[in-house]
Amino acid sequence: MKTMRLETSGHGPATLTLDAEGSMNVVNDDFISDMEAVTRQIMADDEITGVILTSAKRTFMAGADLKQLVSGRYSGSLQEAYAFSKRASDMHRAIERSGKPWVAAINGLALGGGFELALACHRRILVDDPKAQVGLPEVSVGLLPGSGGTVRLGAIAGMKTALDLLLSGRSVAPAEALGLGIVDEVTPAAHLLDAARAWLATAPDPVKPWDVKGWVPPQKRGLTVPEDSSAYMMATGGVAKLGYNLPAPLAILNSVFQGMQLPFDKALAVEGKYFAKLLTDPVARNIIRTTFISKQAAEKGARRPEGVPKSEVKKVGVLGAGMMGAGIAFVSANAGIQVVLLDRDLATAEKGKAYSAKALGKQVDNGKLTQEAAHAILARIGPTDDFGSLDGCDLVVEAVFEDTAIKAEATRRAEAVIPAQAIFASNTSTLPISQLAQASRRPDQFIGLHFFSPVDRMGLVEVIMGKQTSEETLAKSLDFIAQLRKTPIVVNDSRGFYTSRVFQTLIHEGAAMLGEGVPPAVIENAAKAVGMPVGPLALLDEVTLDLPLKIVSQAIAEEGDKYTPPAGVAVMHRMKDEIGRSSRKEGGAFYEYPASGRKHLWQGLGEHFPAKDGWDVGELKQRYLYAQAMETLRCLEEGVLETPQDADLGSIYGWGFPTWTGGTISYVDTVGIADFVQEADRLAQRYGPRFLPSAWLRQRAAKGEAFYPAADPAVVKAPMPA
């Protein structure tokens, strides 16, 4: 067998050890074939009295092979998708009805299909290790457990627990798993197999409760049980808050509810049908491709130039101890790197270090970190006001004020000290890297590393190549990002690069809507309904009106009549210059911020921007998506972006483009490029040239050229929720 091995020793229990090629055990065709065969062998062997199921790896089983699920074989075929689910479900039923007791000795992480396998066993013993968590996280990739997970979890733990775990997708540590009743025993690693043998020695009944004659589904009375009725209604409200763009939560809600009222095998069939519907939906395929496959590839070095030896940053300099610099220092020290945190005076640098002390203190208080470990991390950060301390740094990240002259001075002073081979990176979010590199004596070693705030919670880093940046510099920078365990995208130099440039289209579209007479609450709610985490007017209050207006002013100064100001500029100027409201920091712009109570939209907006009739919320939502997608397409056309994967990762992890789309480019492909161009033309006629497709895009549409290969399952013309 390719994925497991069976060991027997005469009359007694057998040990079935999962041990697939590669780093983790996963559910795929090879695994299912092996499990089907070994189960038949176990059933036929009278010498085997029971089975201990465990793993040879540090993890028990990671879950389904997501690459297989999006390989294209199930694309658009409900029958094939259902057949896959049914085969895996039948595999688990064969274990349950084998006539022999199975005990899962869970020696590590068991997620998704791995935990479904454990649920099919007659007993579950989990190793007492906080890293050995169990759960069913399928909702996070747009799916539900498709081989009995929703049905067994509901029957074992009840509706309330099942809905909590399935809808949140959270995994739980041993103590909580035991308390919830989803494992039967927790034991130290040294005693795990002994505990399994001890249970089998009691000659346990190998018949599951639902296979006992006369078994009644746990909630045959439906919602007449007050506790379950309350749990279901609360879960329904939670699903509604997620919006209607994610089909998986609703499918889970229905699967659990129906599964707890039907005979067991009928409940499994219902679950399989929901799974098939989700698997053939473009939402699940797009989420899996971007948030799992593309993300994993980026983190493993998909954009790293070949032929450059691996490097490691042992000492990093961070120039500027403000919010960004402090965050970069924290994640670097947390990764085991020695940090020189430099600012204009020692007191300011010390204040930057205090950010790390506060963050580490919270982790200690929450039991996630020992005090000794926190002290060790904090000790790696050396605050200073002396540029001489940068001597010996392998890499320097400049995070000073967004001013070309200030950055140039910091560059010159740092390069006078750092080793000749050291990399100099700027954390700028808007200033062109090639322009900043003019202050450098070694522009080939100058690069942009755009971190996102807060740095310790945002996983993306936008890597910006200047005109003279070398491939070696790129490789070393990507190695540094890998040390930080963050996700890189690589873009070429441009005004606003990629993420800042496209993000602005969201806030400008919202401002333009206000000028058109769309009610402010509708503007905000339409953005959130489509899947954006925050409305554009709230975002403008946070980033300040000064920032987008400054960017526009710089563009006009440099490009003159060639530059077309964004649609929201007039509204922004009016708010700032005429009305005198510019940001939350200055007391509020589009929102009010009372000393006590929640923020709310400023009532004066109705006076200055009277609401009109004629708007359509569906079209507002479409405008948000198309505006961002169209600017992304321009970035691809201009060579700012080189791959659709970088575009999709940057849009989802950079500024929160709706995950259900798979990203800005996946959205275009799933709508269908020809249909996208046709609809963009309609929007351009109504709202302006920002929606107008270029000749390049029209040519692609005429040829039917998708941005991902045609064999990719995400390239399926299908209606998208909006």
Side-chain angles (χ1 to χ4, degrees):
M1 294 182 290
K2 297 179 180 179
T3 64
M4 61 191 73
R5 60 178 181 271
L6 181 67
E7 299 171 84
T8 60
S9 55
H11 186 77
T15 301
L16 181 59
T17 305
L18 306 178
D19 193 12
E21 294 181 3
S23 60
M24 288 189 177
N25 298 310
V26 294
V27 178
N28 55 21
D29 287 341
D30 286 340
F31 167 78
I32 295 174
S33 295
D34 285 348
M35 187 60 77
E36 289 170 335
V38 81
T39 302
R40 289 192 296 268
Q41 180 182 343
I42 289 168
M43 291 173 65
D45 191 339
D46 293 336
E47 292 294 304
I48 297 176
T49 59
V51 181
I52 298 171
L53 177 64
T54 191
S55 170
K57 303 181 185 298
R58 288 182 297 176
T59 58
F60 180 77
M61 177 169 271
D65 182 347
L66 294 179
K67 290 183 180 179
Q68 177 180 312
L69 291 185
V70 296
S71 63
R73 59 187 284 187
Y74 311 111
S75 179
S77 173
L78 285 167
Q79 293 79 10
E80 288 192 34
Y82 178 75
F84 172 79
S85 174
K86 188 175 188 306
R87 187 183 178 195
S89 194
D90 288 348
M91 171 190 72
H92 290 154
R93 288 298 276 147
I95 290 172
E96 290 181 324
R97 296 186 290 195
S98 66
K100 315 234 174 128
W102 289 56
V103 53
I106 308 171
N107 62 305
L109 199 71
L111 299 177
F115 191 50
E116 285 187 284
L117 175 65
L119 289 172
C121 292
H122 301 84
R123 187 171 181 82
R124 289 163 296 284
I125 305 176
L126 180 60
V127 66
D128 191 7
D129 182 339
K131 293 182 180 179
Q133 301 198 350
V134 298
L136 297 169
E138 284 85 350
V139 69
S140 64
V141 292
L143 295 173
L144 55 67
S147 55
T150 68
V151 180
R152 288 188 180 86
L153 196 62
I156 291 170
M159 179 180 283
K160 183 176 181 180
T161 296
L163 289 175
D164 170 38
L165 295 178
L166 290 164
L167 290 173
S168 68
R170 69 186 182 94
S171 54
V172 296
E176 185 179 2
L178 184 63
L180 293 173
I182 59 177
V183 300
D184 304 295
E185 187 178 346
V186 172
T187 188
H191 301 150
L192 182 62
L193 295 182
D194 288 339
R197 295 187 191 98
W199 180 75
L200 289 173
T202 66
D205 186 355
V207 180
K208 285 288 188 81
W210 41 84
D211 287 323
V212 175
K213 187 175 181 180
W215 178 79
V216 177
Q219 301 302 334
K220 194 170 183 180
R221 290 175 294 172
L223 296 182
T224 60
V225 178
E227 182 181 353
D228 291 323
S229 176
S230 175
Y232 192 77
M233 286 189 289
M234 291 294 289
T236 302
V239 169
K241 285 183 179 179
L242 296 173
Y244 301 100
N245 303 308
L246 297 169
L250 187 59
I252 289 170
L253 199 63
N254 286 327
S255 186
V256 172
F257 176 65
Q258 295 175 48
M260 294 188 71
Q261 299 178 70
L262 294 170
F264 194 78
D265 287 309
K266 287 188 177 180
L268 292 177
V270 168
E271 179 193 80
K273 290 175 182 177
Y274 279 115
F275 176 84
K277 188 175 180 181
L278 292 174
L279 183 57
T280 55
D281 190 294
V283 170
R285 292 193 305 275
N286 286 348
I287 291 174
I288 291 171
R289 181 178 61 194
T290 299
T291 67
F292 177 76
I293 297 173
S294 295
K295 183 173 184 288
Q296 191 177 77
E299 290 167 356
K300 289 183 176 179
R303 296 300 310 276
R304 190 183 189 279
E306 296 181 1
V308 181
K310 285 281 186 179
S311 63
E312 180 182 8
V313 171
K314 295 181 179 179
K315 182 179 179 181
V316 64
V318 180
L319 310 185
M323 186 190 310
M324 292 300 296
I328 295 167
F330 175 50
V331 298
S332 298
N334 206 36
I337 301 170
Q338 200 70 30
V339 181
V340 176
L341 182 57
L342 186 147
D343 213 305
R344 61 182 180 274
D345 55 60
L346 189 57
T348 305
E350 290 280 7
K351 185 178 178 182
K353 181 176 179 176
Y355 176 89
S356 295
K358 183 177 180 181
L360 291 167
K362 289 181 180 179
Q363 293 183 34
V364 172
D365 292 342
N366 294 334
K368 297 180 179 179
L369 197 69
T370 66
Q371 190 65 62
E372 292 75 18
H375 282 316
I377 294 170
L378 201 58
R380 296 189 192 112
I381 302 175
T384 184
D385 58 358
D386 180 12
F387 273 83
S389 300
L390 298 174
D391 185 24
C393 284
D394 304 296
L395 183 145
V396 169
V397 182
E398 168 270 302
V400 302
F401 187 69
E402 285 285 277
D403 180 276
T404 302
I406 295 174
K407 289 180 181 292
E409 177 66 14
T411 301
R412 285 190 287 268
R413 295 185 68 181
E415 285 189 349
V417 178
I418 60 177
Q421 72 277 11
I423 303 300
F424 191 96
S426 176
N427 180 59
T428 180
S429 58
T430 58
L431 298 174
I433 292 301
S434 300
Q435 177 183 324
L436 295 179
Q438 292 175 6
S440 173
R441 293 183 295 181
R442 36 195 172 184
D444 59 316
Q445 294 168 223
F446 196 104
I447 196 166
L449 293 184
H450 176 205
F451 289 82
F452 293 77
S453 182
V455 179
D456 45 319
R457 294 205 300 270
M458 297 291 283
L460 189 76
V461 180
E462 185 178 25
V463 182
I464 306 104
M465 295 286 286
K467 292 179 181 178
Q468 294 177 266
T469 306
S470 70
E471 294 287 281
E472 181 179 0
T473 297
L474 172 60
K476 289 182 176 181
S477 299
L478 291 174
D479 291 342
F480 171 59
I481 294 168
Q483 284 182 254
L484 303 183
R485 296 184 179 179
K486 291 190 176 291
T487 306
I489 62 169
V490 180
V491 306
N492 290 315
D493 202 8
S494 170
R495 184 184 308 282
F497 318 128
Y498 166 51
T499 57
S500 297
R501 171 175 167 177
V502 181
F503 165 74
Q504 290 180 64
T505 64
L506 169 69
I507 57 178
H508 278 289
E509 201 63 31
M513 290 174 185
L514 186 65
E516 294 164 15
V518 180
V522 174
I523 293 170
E524 298 292 81
N525 288 332
K528 288 185 278 189
V530 85
M532 299 303 303
V534 183
L537 303 182
L539 281 170
L540 275 167
D541 268 33
E542 298 296 334
V543 303
T544 78
L545 291 172
D546 293 333
L547 179 59
L549 290 175
K550 180 182 178 182
I551 292 170
V552 169
S553 297
Q554 288 176 338
I556 292 173
E558 293 178 17
E559 297 184 27
D561 294 339
K562 295 180 181 179
Y563 179 74
T564 302
V569 169
V571 168
M572 293 183 192
H573 268 305
R574 187 174 174 194
M575 282 292 296
K576 178 179 181 293
D577 301 332
E578 296 179 25
I579 302 172
R581 296 178 64 89
S582 62
S583 68
R584 178 175 184 171
K585 185 172 62 175
E586 297 299 325
F590 299 98
Y591 279 79
E592 289 276 26
Y593 301 89
S596 60
R598 300 176 61 183
K599 73 177 184 181
H600 55 81
L601 284 161
W602 178 47
Q603 291 184 346
L605 287 175
E607 175 187 344
H608 293 281
F609 303 97
K612 300 176 183 177
D613 296 328
W615 48 268
D616 175 76
V617 71
E619 184 149 296
L620 298 179
K621 290 157 68 176
Q622 186 183 43
R623 284 170 62 182
Y624 285 131
L625 295 171
Y626 271 63
Q628 295 172 80
M630 186 60 76
E631 195 64 25
T632 300
L633 290 167
R634 294 187 183 105
C635 288
L636 270 175
E637 180 180 1
E638 295 167 16
V640 176
L641 286 165
E642 296 181 358
T643 71
Q645 290 86 353
D646 280 339
D648 284 341
L649 285 169
S651 62
I652 287 178
Y653 294 108
W655 71 87
F657 193 75
T659 305
W660 60 267
T661 65
T664 44
I665 295 301
S666 284
Y667 175 72
V668 175
D669 268 356
T670 310
V671 169
I673 188 168
D675 287 349
F676 182 88
V677 166
Q678 182 178 351
E679 189 61 18
D681 272 327
R682 186 189 70 80
L683 292 173
Q685 290 176 8
R686 187 164 185 180
Y687 299 106
R690 61 187 179 278
F691 292 105
L692 195 64
S694 68
W696 169 82
L697 185 59
R698 294 185 191 280
Q699 290 172 2
R700 290 192 70 112
K703 297 176 183 177
E705 291 181 357
F707 292 95
Y708 285 93
D712 191 302
V715 185
V716 178
K717 184 180 176 182
M720 294 287 279

